[in-house]
Every structure is written in structure tokens, then in C-alpha cells.
């Protein structure tokens, strides 16, 4: 059953200067892993009449972890360090637009992290919980960037996240 269907998020990350918006670094097409917890939540909400999440939130993480699909919202904080050095009070709302051809993204409302300190973001995740550092809710995506994203208080990180279902032939 593992090869029947594919789905997942893809991420673009821009590092922009706060003072003029100039792009300092760009990463395009980083592919995620939808953890088992996320796959189960999607299947339950759609095929078993379960409730879908009220909202989705995007966060950043640092650390050496390589996603393997076994991450959960409860275990993520033991595997990585959540990046919280940004001005917003919680993880950013993932405001997804209309569905077309089995896909949707936040292209019309990018997640913009207004960085306050210095550090490195090695990846991103999508959760059903807004609070920074929370280990509750469900984890729908975890991605490790191919190259770390360095930041300091002079920049913001802007993330485009898109989700797609892919129909496969047997």
C-alpha cells in the first residue's frame, strides 16, 4: 500500500532584508515528508468523517534531525529545536488558497517570519497548534532544507508552502 498515492508539501524560502526587501538567499522546491501522524489525520478527516483542523500553522526548526516520517507533534521538540526568535507571538498561520488540480498553496499570503536574533533554520514544519514550542495537536509536514537558512535581526524569512496530491498509475 505504500506506493498507491503520494502527497506532500513543497517549500520555497526567501531570506529578505527588512530595510529594502532585497532577496539575500533563496531556496526553491524543498520537499517534505508527511509524517505518519499527518497521513492518518488526513485520511481520518476525509475518509472516516473526522474533523479537519480549524487552522494550520507553520514553524521553523534547527538541529541535525533527518525527517523519517515517525515524527509527531508530541515528539518533534525532542528531535529538533524550534526557532522562536521572531516577532510574531506564535507560529504563523498557513493561509492556503483555493484548490486547483489537487493542489493548493499560500502564494497569496506568504508566511513572513520577522527575525529578532541570530541563528539558523534547518527546516520547517506544519502543525495544527499555534503556540511556539507546543507539543500538542497534529504534525502534517516536516522538511529539512538542503542548505541551512542563516538569519539575524536584519532579515525576515518568507516561506511559500504548497500541498499536492499526486495520482499514480499501478
Amino acid at each position: 500500500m505504500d506506493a498507491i498515492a503520494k502527497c506532500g508539501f513543497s517549500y520555497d524560502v526567501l531570506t529578505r532584508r527588512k530595510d529594502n526587501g532585497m532577496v539575500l538567499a533563496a531556496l526553491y522546491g524543498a520537499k517534505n515528508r508527511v509524517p505518519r501522524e499527518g497521513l492518518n489525520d488526513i485520511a481520518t478527516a476525509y475518509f472516516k468523517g473526522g474533523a479537519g483542523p480549524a487552522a494550520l500553522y507553520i514553524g521553523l526548526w534547527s538541529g541535525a534531525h533527518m525527517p523519517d516520517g515517525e515524527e509527531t507533534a508530541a515528539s518533534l521538540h525532542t528531535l529538533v529545536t524550534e526557532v522562536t526568535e521572531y516577532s510574531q507571538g506564535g507560529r504563523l498561520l498557513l493561509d492556503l488558497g483555493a484548490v486547483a488540480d489537487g493542489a493548493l498553496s499560500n502564494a497569496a499570503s506568504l508566511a513572513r517570519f520577522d527575525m529578532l536574533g541570530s541563528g539558523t533554520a534547518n527546516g520547517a514544519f506544519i502543525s495544527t497548534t499555534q503556540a511556539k514550542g507546543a507539543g500538542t495537536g497534529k504534525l502534517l509536514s516536516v522538511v529539512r532544507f538542503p542548505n541551512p537558512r542563516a538569519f539575524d535581526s536584519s532579515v525576515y524569512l518568507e516561506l511559500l508552502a504548497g500541498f499536492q496530491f499526486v495520482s499514480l498509475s499501478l
Side-chain angles (χ1 to χ4, degrees), residues 109-128:
S109 182
L110 300 176
R112 182 181 288 182
F113 292 85
D114 180 13
M115 306 315 289
L116 297 174
S118 296
T120 302
N122 287 0
F125 63 93
I126 296 174
S127 171
T128 61

Side-chain angles (χ1 to χ4, degrees), residues 1 4-5 15 17 21 27 36 38-39 49 79 81 90 97 101 113 116 140-141 149-150 160 162 166 170:
M1 295 283 292
I4 299 298
T15 304
R17 287 177 52 121
L27 166 67
R36 184 181 323 273
L39 292 171
L79 303 170
T81 301
D101 298 324
F113 292 85
L116 297 174
L140 272 76
S141 172
R149 308 282 92 193
L160 167 70
V166 177
L170 293 178

Side-chain angles (χ1 to χ4, degrees), residues 81-88 113-120 132 151-153:
T81 301
E82 185 170 350
V83 173
T84 59
E85 296 87 17
Y86 52 93
S87 66
Q88 295 90 343
F113 292 85
D114 180 13
M115 306 315 289
L116 297 174
S118 296
T120 302
K132 290 180 183 178
F151 62 83
D152 62 33
S153 62

Side-chain angles (χ1 to χ4, degrees), residues 33-102:
R33 183 177 289 268
V34 177
R36 184 181 323 273
E37 178 175 68
L39 292 171
N40 289 342
D41 198 51
I42 292 166
T44 298
Y46 195 81
F47 297 109
K48 299 301 285 179
L56 297 175
Y57 302 94
I58 191 165
L60 301 169
W61 59 270
S62 65
H65 181 65
M66 294 299 291
D68 61 12
E70 297 304 318
E71 300 85 2
T72 66
S75 71
L76 189 64
H77 72 280
T78 65
L79 303 170
V80 303
T81 301
E82 185 170 350
V83 173
T84 59
E85 296 87 17
Y86 52 93
S87 66
Q88 295 90 343
R91 297 171 183 158
L92 278 63
L93 177 68
L94 181 61
D95 188 6
L96 297 168
V99 176
D101 298 324

